Amino acid sequence: MGKGGNQGDGAPEREAPLPTFRWEEIQQHNLRSDQWLVIDRRVYDVTRWSRRHPGGHRVLRHYAGEDATDAFRAFHPDLSFVRKFMKPLLVGELAPEEPSQDRGKSSQITEDFRALRKAAEDMNLFKSNHLFFLLLLAHIIAMESLAWFTVFYFGNGWIPTVITAFVLATSQAQAGWLQHDYGHLSVYKKSMWNHIVHKFIIGHLKGASANWWNHRHFQHHAKPNIFHKDPDVNMLHVFVLGERQPVEYGKKKLKYLPYNHQHEYFFLIGPPLLIPMYFQYQIIMTMIVRKDWVDLAWAFSYYARFFLTYIPFYGVLGTILFLNFIRFLESHWFVWVTQMNHIVMEIDREPYRDWLSSQLAATCNVEQSFFNDWFSGHLNFQIEHHLFPTMPRHNFHKVAPLVRSLCAKHGIQYQEKPLLRALQDIVWSLKKSGDLWLDAYLHK
């Protein structure tokens, strides 16, 4: 019979063929009110669903009009579970003659990277050692206990207070690295358990918001060092970064601050103030504005515990000052570690690269050692972490040789440097950008 013939009772109905689209049309759907993206050659309209996305709506918008396959795989450890939510969003597929990659992105690099990821999965490098993370949590709780005992036993004099502050700043920094692991769903197989422990660590141990962190940090991972997409390079006119932005500011005669001295005033307003001033205020206001009462309750439990613990020794005002001194110390630690891998790298507008190339352009590594691993929460392996954000950090050193080999094959620079040089390069990169601004400001 012909195609229109009777198929007989009980014959399964054939699914209607999906509409096909060319990249030229898909790329037009990149507006806030109209967002399509491509995953495994299938086209999804995520416009209405984006507000419900657990990682925040902005991270989806950053990939609107693009192939998001590798980003999708990088952020979601349980793909079969996530795909259930995607079925109603499916609107079509790429036309057969269309390449899988948009805008001329390298199909060979993409194919080789996916093969590398499959090799890492076969090596069980995405499997977590629960004892490792339990010991990390235990040493944080031990430092919290030691801090209280120091003041309880030795009193509230200057020396015990300063020692206690440094111990608590260390525990806060380590809790920051640990919440990062759970936020990336890299510890438990079930996402729900990662979310629960994440809220406990970032909320009860740090007084911050899991949702605030998710929505901010996933944007950074999706488009690292891309202006208007990565919030970590939004410096509110305080600093100019990279090579393009300083020249643009200089040509437009923009001088919110003397940027040729930014490598000097960085020491005054960067590391000292980020957490105690900017982050602390932004986190609390975000929870209130978004009516995120669950995260607010977790954060309140931290402040209640802290004040109940230390008011008997320092009084209300003294405890407030003590808390902000701890934040001041932690802020230095956080800023130097997080900026040594990124601010020294390429910072520019969207270049539309494949996943491997985009992450390597924006990240670099710091040499491995027991101290460097602990001090940075294994973010000295920033390259591997950005390529595989759901991989448990204790496995980064195992996948690193594979990444180096792939980079060498395709001529992609894999940067690794000593810790002290990495810290020095932060200041050097700020000075370089400041000099570019001054030259453009004076002569163009």
Side-chain angles (χ1 to χ4, degrees):
M1 286 188 180
K3 289 192 294 183
N6 186 359
Q7 296 180 12
D9 294 338
E13 294 183 6
R14 294 182 180 178
E15 292 186 6
L18 290 171
T20 59
F21 301 97
R22 299 182 65 85
W23 276 116
E24 183 179 0
E25 181 179 356
I26 294 169
Q27 289 165 4
Q28 295 174 4
H29 297 270
N30 65 346
L31 306 175
R32 180 176 297 179
S33 58
D34 183 16
Q35 302 174 37
W36 288 11
L37 49 81
V38 177
I39 298 173
D40 291 320
R41 295 189 62 86
R42 296 209 155 191
V43 183
Y44 298 90
D45 182 350
V46 299
T47 309
R48 295 184 179 180
W49 187 79
S50 63
R51 288 284 175 181
R52 298 166 50 199
H53 183 231
H57 66 278
R58 289 188 179 91
V59 71
L60 292 181
R61 186 184 174 193
H62 295 340
Y63 270 95
E66 288 186 62
D67 177 69
T69 304
D70 291 304
F72 172 76
R73 293 176 179 176
F75 294 133
H76 303 100
D78 190 346
L79 298 182
S80 59
F81 174 76
V82 178
R83 284 195 172 101
K84 295 177 182 178
F85 297 91
M86 297 169 59
K87 288 182 180 179
L89 311 178
L90 182 65
V91 295
E93 60 186 2
L94 283 175
E97 67 274 11
E98 288 291 286
S100 297
Q101 300 299 309
D102 60 294
R103 294 180 174 88
K105 297 174 185 176
S106 172
S107 59
Q108 187 58 58
I109 293 177
T110 300
E111 182 181 333
D112 288 349
F113 172 73
R114 291 175 184 174
L116 188 156
R117 182 181 178 89
K118 179 63 168 59
E121 291 170 352
D122 293 341
M123 294 167 64
N124 289 323
L125 297 185
F126 288 89
K127 186 176 181 180
S128 170
N129 180 342
H130 292 170
L131 178 61
F132 174 86
F133 292 102
L134 181 62
L135 291 175
L136 287 175
L137 178 59
H139 101 294
I140 292 167
I141 295 174
M143 282 187 283
E144 295 273 350
S145 303
L146 176 63
W148 172 84
F149 179 79
T150 300
V151 179
F152 174 78
Y153 188 81
F154 294 101
N156 60 357
W158 279 106
I159 294 178
T161 297
V162 170
I163 292 174
T164 301
F166 273 90
V167 172
L168 287 175
T170 302
S171 72
Q172 285 292 289
Q174 291 300 316
W177 309 144
L178 186 59
Q179 68 82 22
H180 178 260
D181 297 310
Y182 288 94
H184 275 296
L185 313 178
S186 65
V187 180
Y188 297 115
K189 189 173 182 180
K190 291 285 187 181
S191 296
M192 179 185 70
W193 289 110
N194 284 294
H195 290 312
I196 291 173
V197 180
H198 185 215
K199 286 187 180 294
F200 167 75
I201 295 175
I202 197 172
H204 184 68
L205 294 185
K206 290 191 63 61
S209 164
N211 287 334
W212 169 86
W213 183 88
N214 285 340
H215 292 183
R216 181 185 178 95
H217 193 66
F218 289 156
Q219 290 184 76
H220 162 69
H221 269 268
K223 296 289 184 177
N225 285 13
I226 303 301
F227 287 121
H228 309 301
K229 293 187 176 182
D230 180 359
D232 287 1
V233 296
N234 177 20
M235 295 296 176
L236 303 175
H237 305 303
V238 176
F239 301 101
V240 289
L241 304 176
E243 297 183 359
R244 181 192 295 269
Q245 187 188 49
V247 174
E248 289 181 348
Y249 272 47
K251 287 181 177 180
K252 295 176 181 178
K253 306 303 179 185
L254 296 178
K255 187 181 180 182
Y256 297 97
L257 286 170
Y259 297 121
N260 52 310
H261 294 290
Q262 65 179 5
H263 61 291
E264 297 168 342
Y265 66 70
F266 169 77
F267 291 92
L268 300 177
I269 64 177
L273 301 182
L274 181 65
I275 290 180
M277 294 291 290
Y278 180 63
F279 271 5
Q280 195 162 239
Y281 171 79
Q282 187 189 62
I283 290 168
I284 294 173
M285 289 306 300
T286 298
M287 289 188 289
I288 294 173
V289 170
R290 293 180 180 171
K291 298 180 180 179
D292 193 349
W293 308 129
V294 173
D295 278 12
L296 193 61
W298 276 110
F300 177 80
S301 73
Y302 165 79
Y303 286 103
R305 175 175 60 85
F306 187 89
F307 279 91
L308 287 173
T309 301
Y310 291 103
I311 281 178
F313 302 106
Y314 299 107
V316 175
L317 179 59
T319 303
I320 293 174
L321 294 174
F322 185 52
L323 174 61
N324 280 280
F325 181 55
I326 294 166
R327 298 284 197 223
F328 168 82
L329 295 174
E330 179 201 358
S331 188
H332 283 81
W333 194 328
F334 175 83
V335 170
W336 287 103
V337 168
T338 55
Q339 296 309 307
M340 69 183 183
N341 304 106
H342 292 299
I343 201 173
V344 300
M345 303 300 291
E346 178 185 305
I347 304 174
D348 208 337
R349 295 173 183 170
E350 175 65 82
Y352 296 110
R353 295 188 179 103
D354 59 85
W355 180 257
L356 178 73
S357 301
S358 64
Q359 301 300 331
L360 266 294
T363 57
C364 66
N365 279 8
V366 171
E367 291 177 349
Q368 182 187 21
S369 70
F370 178 82
F371 175 79
N372 288 355
D373 292 353
W374 174 84
F375 180 74
S376 67
H378 285 83
L379 294 182
N380 50 326
F381 286 97
Q382 193 71 244
I383 292 173
E384 287 70 29
H385 170 59
H386 265 255
L387 291 175
F388 311 105
T390 60
M391 181 179 288
R393 60 159 119 159
H394 52 72
N395 286 332
F396 288 157
H397 73 281
K398 297 178 182 178
V399 77
L402 302 180
V403 176
R404 286 195 196 95
S405 178
L406 181 58
C407 290
K409 176 181 177 181
H410 292 284
I412 299 173
Q413 187 176 16
Y414 181 104
Q415 290 195 45
E416 184 178 67
K417 58 186 73 171
L419 176 61
L420 291 180
R421 183 191 155 194
L423 300 178
Q424 292 169 355
D425 282 351
I426 296 174
V427 181
W428 173 83
S429 66
L430 288 172
K431 185 178 188 308
K432 179 183 177 183
S433 297
D435 290 342
L436 288 172
W437 169 83
L438 182 63
D439 182 65
Y441 186 84
L442 294 176
H443 303 111
K444 297 181 181 179

